[in-house]
């Protein structure tokens, strides 16, 4: 079977047409049995290239048996693995306990148990090759997932100023800035698939000068976007033979901010490696008990489940939700009774901005990036927290002077058509998404809480809304929640399971994922505002 036939076979398994899937599955079964019989039983550590290739294919079949949205493909892949195991070939099993280290697998949407709308979204994502662990966790919120996938597909695959391999390389650069090996590995594979030069992956110095020049913008946007000036923009647009066009730069900026914020979501939800990738499966038998291929179908075999998950004692946090709801009610009553003066509003913003910089991130540990990730960026010591240690001041960015709605949206849409609209829809869905619930309480207006979270993130970046009373933030967001927010937004690689569990302990996991969507989109918009303002200043 030549390369084109193999590609057609995998694409056929993702088809919405049952007959195409059947034909592709038949081809896969025949090809696998032929390969297995020609190689014979495999040692635990394969030494030949043919054995290594077989193991990669087996890992992909394992992924299909667990993640394919089509039941017929899942069932046939389970049968195929069982048949291969009966011949004497060791088959892989999943590592870990589902798509997230923080959320029990049984609480995440299973591809076999979703409603019609989510099923359709999963099928579309799968056909595009993006039903990954991030999508499965976002599946708690199908309306958002649909918008996210549409936007990401447009940025990576549709017509645009940048070539496909440049897009994936910029994704690698952005994700590496936060040491996010999950996203780096994802785009290394995609980069190679679209014909990218493997030499570029040896390190940023191996990439074209044009991409190397983007390193400074990547660094500043990821950690201290308020330092971005029109001079940085000018240096990219007037670099003689290595210069960027305005349209290319807008595309690059959107990609950088997309993957910086997606790294925040990846760490904030404890996303694990996809089943078919390194770290997502193993060929070693489990150490505690025998392993049966039927475990693939029912999700057994994970060490954490065998030992039992430690649950947070509800008694410790009894009343947490009710206290928060009461504070929201009291703040609403205060709003109705009196309005603070502009001077007082300014004072409250400056106080909150200063306090936000003093919030420590994840015990303030230092994270040393691995060589595999750090080679894709420069100056690894550069981070968000350094400026507060030196007592530097973050200037205030007034949304009334430059906003996404009135300025950024039109600039993006003009230079990169349709992307402004896609981003705006995604921001709006994340900001307005509500089920009118808080834990077990129904019929709750959560708009005040959502706005406090969004505005707190923008406040950390120096962005101020003149009409918002920043005194509400301290009433609604407790310290453990602020530590989680700041870590996930500013130093996401330091996010821990303990931090995830320490805030909103009575809330559902779906509600915490909703929070992470807010954090991700608020961060992306904050970075975009600084970048687009600098570009606007250059243009004028």
């Amino acid at each position: 079977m030549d390369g084109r036939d193999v590609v057609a076979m995998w694409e056929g398994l993702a088809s919405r047409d049952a007959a195409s899937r059947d034909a592709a599955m038949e081809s896969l079964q025949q090809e696998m049995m032929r390969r297995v019989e020609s190689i014979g039983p495999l040692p635990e550590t394969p030494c030949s290239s043919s054995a290594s290739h077989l193991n990669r294919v087996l890992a992909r079949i394992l992924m299909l048996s667990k993640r394919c949205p089509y039941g017929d493909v899942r069932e046939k892949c389970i049968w195929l693995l069982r048949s291969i195991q009966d011949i004497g070939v060791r088959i892989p099993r999943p590592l870990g306990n589902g798509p997230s280290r923080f959320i029990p697998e049984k609480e995440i949407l299973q591809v076999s148990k979703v409603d019609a709308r989510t099923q359709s979204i999963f099928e579309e994502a799968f056909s595009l090759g993006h039903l990954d662990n991030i999508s499965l966790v976002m599946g708690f919120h199908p309306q958002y997932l649909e918008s996210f996938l549409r936007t990401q597909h447009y940025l990576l695959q549709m017509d645009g100023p940048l070539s496909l391999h440049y897009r994936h390389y910029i994704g690698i650069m952005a994700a590496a800035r936060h040491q996010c090996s999950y996203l780096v590995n994802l785009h290394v594979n995609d980069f190679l698939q679209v014909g990218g030069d493997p030499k570029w992956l040896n390190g940023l110095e191996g990439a074209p000068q044009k991409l190397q020049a983007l390193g400074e913008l990547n660094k500043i946007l990821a950690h201290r976007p308020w330092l971005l000036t029109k001079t940085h923009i000018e240096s990219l647009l007037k670099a003689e033979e290595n210069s960027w066009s305005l349209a290319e730069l807008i595309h690059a900026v959107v990609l950088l901010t997309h993957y910086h914020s997606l790294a925040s979501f990846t760490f904030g939800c404890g996303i694990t490696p996809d089943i078919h990738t390194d770290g997502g499966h193993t060929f070693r038998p489990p150490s505690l008990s025998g392993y049966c291929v039927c475990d693939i179908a029912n999700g057994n075999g994970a060490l954490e489940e065998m030992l039992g998950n430690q649950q947070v004692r509800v008694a410790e946090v009894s009343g947490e939700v009710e206290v928060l709801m009461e504070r929201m009610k009291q703040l609403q009553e205060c709003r109705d009774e009196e309005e603070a003066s502009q001077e007082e509003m300014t004072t409250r913003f400056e106080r909150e901005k200063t306090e936000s910089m003093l919030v420590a991130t994840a015990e303030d540990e230092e994270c040393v990036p691995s060589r595999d990730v750090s080679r894709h960026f420069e100056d690894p010591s550069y981070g968000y927290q350094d400026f507060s240690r030196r007592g530097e001041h973050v200037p205030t960015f007034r949304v009334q002077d430059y906003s996404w709605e009135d300025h950024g949206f039109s600039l993006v849409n003009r230079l990169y058509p349709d992307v402004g609209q896609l981003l705006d829809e995604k921001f709006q869905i994340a900001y307005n998404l509500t089920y009118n619930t808080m834990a077990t309480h129904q019929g709750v207006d959560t708009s005040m809480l959502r706005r406090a979270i969004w505005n707190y993130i923008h406040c950390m970046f120096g962005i101020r809304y003149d009409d918002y009373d920043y005194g509400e933030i301290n009433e609604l967001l407790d310290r453990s929640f602020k530590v989680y927010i700041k870590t996930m937004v500013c130093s996401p690689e330091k996010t821990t399971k303990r931090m995830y569990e320490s805030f909103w302990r009575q809330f559902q996991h779906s509600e915490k994922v909703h929070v992470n969507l807010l954090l991700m989109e608020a961060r992306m918009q904050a970075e975009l505002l600084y970048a687009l303002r600098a570009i606007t200043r250059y243009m004028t």
Side-chain angles (χ1 to χ4, degrees):
M1 186 179 284
D2 66 24
R4 282 175 298 182
D5 291 337
V6 171
V7 170
M9 179 184 69
W10 293 121
E11 288 178 350
L13 292 173
S15 171
R16 290 181 187 250
D17 177 57
S20 298
R21 295 198 302 273
D22 281 343
M25 197 69 224
E26 184 66 30
S27 297
L28 177 61
Q29 289 169 359
Q30 292 175 4
E31 178 68 11
M32 287 304 295
M33 299 313 282
R34 184 187 66 76
R35 283 179 177 273
V36 167
E37 287 165 4
S38 67
I39 295 173
L42 292 178
E44 189 168 302
T45 306
C47 48
S48 70
S49 60
S50 56
S52 295
H53 177 74
L54 177 63
N55 277 356
R56 287 196 297 273
V57 178
L58 286 171
R60 193 161 181 177
I61 295 171
L62 174 67
M63 179 275 292
L64 290 170
S65 74
K66 294 279 284 181
R67 299 287 187 252
C68 182
Y70 301 108
D72 56 338
V73 174
R74 290 196 304 273
E75 290 167 11
K76 288 174 182 175
C77 284
I78 292 169
W79 176 87
L80 179 56
L81 287 170
R82 184 180 292 123
S83 301
I84 292 170
Q85 187 180 45
D86 289 344
I87 295 172
V89 175
R90 177 165 287 159
I91 62 166
R93 61 186 177 85
L95 275 177
N97 193 19
S100 165
R101 290 185 296 111
F102 300 169
I103 307 169
E105 184 170 20
K106 62 180 178 294
E107 296 196 33
I108 294 175
L109 287 177
Q110 304 298 308
V111 289
S112 58
K113 302 173 185 175
V114 295
D115 58 35
R117 180 186 184 184
T118 307
Q119 173 71 19
S120 178
I121 296 169
F122 279 0
E123 288 175 4
E124 181 66 20
F126 194 72
S127 70
L128 299 173
H130 287 295
L131 188 54
D132 49 26
N133 285 347
I134 287 176
S135 299
L136 290 170
V137 173
M138 285 183 181
F140 277 121
H141 306 287
Q143 182 187 6
Y144 175 84
L145 174 60
E146 190 170 30
S147 175
F148 171 85
L149 290 173
R150 189 187 309 122
T151 304
Q152 183 169 261
H153 178 66
Y154 197 99
L155 292 175
L156 293 174
Q157 306 294 338
M158 304 297 282
D159 287 344
L162 294 175
S163 60
L164 296 184
H165 62 298
Y166 260 56
R167 302 180 199 195
H168 290 296
Y169 197 83
I170 290 168
I172 293 168
M173 289 174 64
R177 201 61 245 181
H178 283 307
Q179 305 163 38
C180 186
S181 56
Y182 177 91
L183 291 174
V184 169
N185 292 336
L186 189 72
H187 286 283
V188 163
N189 291 332
D190 289 344
F191 172 78
L192 294 172
Q193 279 185 2
V194 297
D197 185 346
K199 293 191 187 73
W200 297 10
L201 300 176
N202 293 331
L204 190 58
E205 66 276 4
Q209 189 62 42
K210 184 171 177 176
L211 281 168
Q212 290 184 42
L214 202 63
E216 184 74 5
L217 179 66
N218 181 28
K219 179 177 80 171
I220 294 173
L221 269 182
H223 304 295
R224 307 178 199 171
W226 53 88
L227 296 180
L228 200 62
T229 67
K230 68 178 184 180
T231 305
H232 294 108
I233 304 303
E234 186 174 19
S235 69
L236 290 166
L237 296 173
K238 293 186 174 180
E240 297 176 358
E241 71 270 16
N242 296 312
S243 65
W244 293 73
S245 70
L246 265 173
E248 287 175 331
L249 186 58
I250 288 286
H251 195 169
V253 161
V254 174
L255 284 168
L256 289 172
T257 57
H258 175 81
Y259 283 106
H260 292 156
S261 56
L262 191 55
S264 284
F265 182 86
T266 302
F267 283 115
C269 291
I271 300 295
T272 57
D274 293 316
I275 288 175
H276 61 297
T277 63
D278 290 345
H281 64 275
T282 180
F283 284 85
R284 295 182 181 278
S287 56
L288 292 185
S289 66
Y291 174 68
C292 165
V293 73
C294 59
D295 289 335
I296 299 166
N298 59 31
N300 295 336
L303 182 64
E304 199 171 333
E305 281 192 352
M306 291 178 188
L307 300 177
N309 289 314
Q310 276 193 314
Q311 298 297 321
V312 177
R313 284 174 293 174
V314 176
E316 291 179 10
V317 291
S318 179
E320 178 187 45
V321 181
E322 289 74 17
V323 168
L324 188 52
M325 289 174 64
E326 181 60 29
R327 285 180 180 169
M328 287 163 62
K329 180 183 174 186
Q330 289 172 357
L331 285 170
Q332 188 60 54
E333 289 171 354
C334 289
R335 270 187 192 174
D336 296 340
E337 288 173 11
E338 60 175 318
E339 191 172 316
S341 66
Q342 272 303 313
E343 291 77 8
E344 178 61 23
M345 298 271 267
T346 301
T347 300
R348 290 175 184 177
F349 169 76
E350 291 297 335
R351 184 187 304 133
E352 192 58 54
K353 184 174 71 168
T354 302
E355 287 180 5
S356 76
M357 291 164 198
L358 301 175
V359 172
T361 57
E363 295 115 24
D364 249 359
E365 319 166 328
E366 289 296 326
C367 287
V368 180
S370 69
R371 165 65 185 156
D372 277 355
V373 172
S374 65
R375 61 183 163 187
H376 299 298
F377 66 91
E378 300 167 320
D379 196 2
S381 64
Y382 190 94
Y384 173 94
Q385 63 195 17
D386 298 335
F387 73 89
S388 57
R389 287 177 174 167
R390 295 200 300 268
E392 287 180 25
H393 177 67
V394 177
T396 296
F397 181 124
R398 294 178 72 250
V399 168
Q400 277 65 19
D401 298 333
Y402 195 96
S403 70
W404 165 256
E405 292 80 5
D406 296 333
H407 306 91
F409 169 82
S410 57
L411 177 60
V412 173
N413 244 20
R414 187 163 83 250
L415 293 169
Y416 189 7
D418 298 329
V419 170
Q421 188 65 43
L422 288 167
L423 291 175
D424 192 58
E425 287 173 7
K426 188 160 63 78
F427 291 147
Q428 292 290 339
I429 289 170
Y431 187 87
N432 295 314
L433 187 67
T434 183
Y435 305 95
N436 298 112
T437 61
M438 281 179 66
T440 57
H441 297 268
Q442 307 289 323
V444 183
D445 180 358
T446 61
S447 57
M448 180 185 290
L449 185 56
R450 284 181 279 119
R451 190 179 186 193
I453 293 168
W454 186 279
N455 287 1
Y456 179 63
I457 294 151
H458 280 196
C459 178
M460 290 191 303
F461 288 100
I463 298 171
R464 181 189 170 198
Y465 296 82
D466 285 353
D467 61 347
Y468 182 69
D469 181 357
Y470 286 84
E472 292 185 3
I473 289 173
N474 270 340
E475 295 293 325
L476 298 175
L477 312 183
D478 64 27
R479 185 159 186 81
S480 64
F481 192 15
K482 284 183 172 181
V483 169
Y484 175 79
I485 290 174
K486 183 169 181 182
T487 304
M488 185 183 146
V489 172
C490 302
S491 306
E493 60 278 7
K494 297 181 181 179
T495 309
T496 64
K497 185 175 183 180
R498 185 160 62 91
M499 293 170 60
Y500 174 87
E501 291 174 341
S502 70
F503 83 92
W504 283 15
R505 288 170 288 181
Q506 285 186 305
F507 285 73
Q508 306 291 323
H509 286 292
S510 61
E511 292 172 306
K512 291 193 171 190
V513 172
H514 185 180
V515 166
N516 287 346
L517 296 179
L518 274 173
L519 304 190
M520 173 171 71
E521 294 300 338
R523 176 189 177 172
M524 182 176 183
Q525 192 181 94
E527 285 190 33
L528 271 178
L529 281 173
Y530 279 108
L532 297 175
R533 184 180 68 170
I535 291 171
T536 299
R537 286 177 172 174
Y538 166 80
M539 292 169 67
T540 53

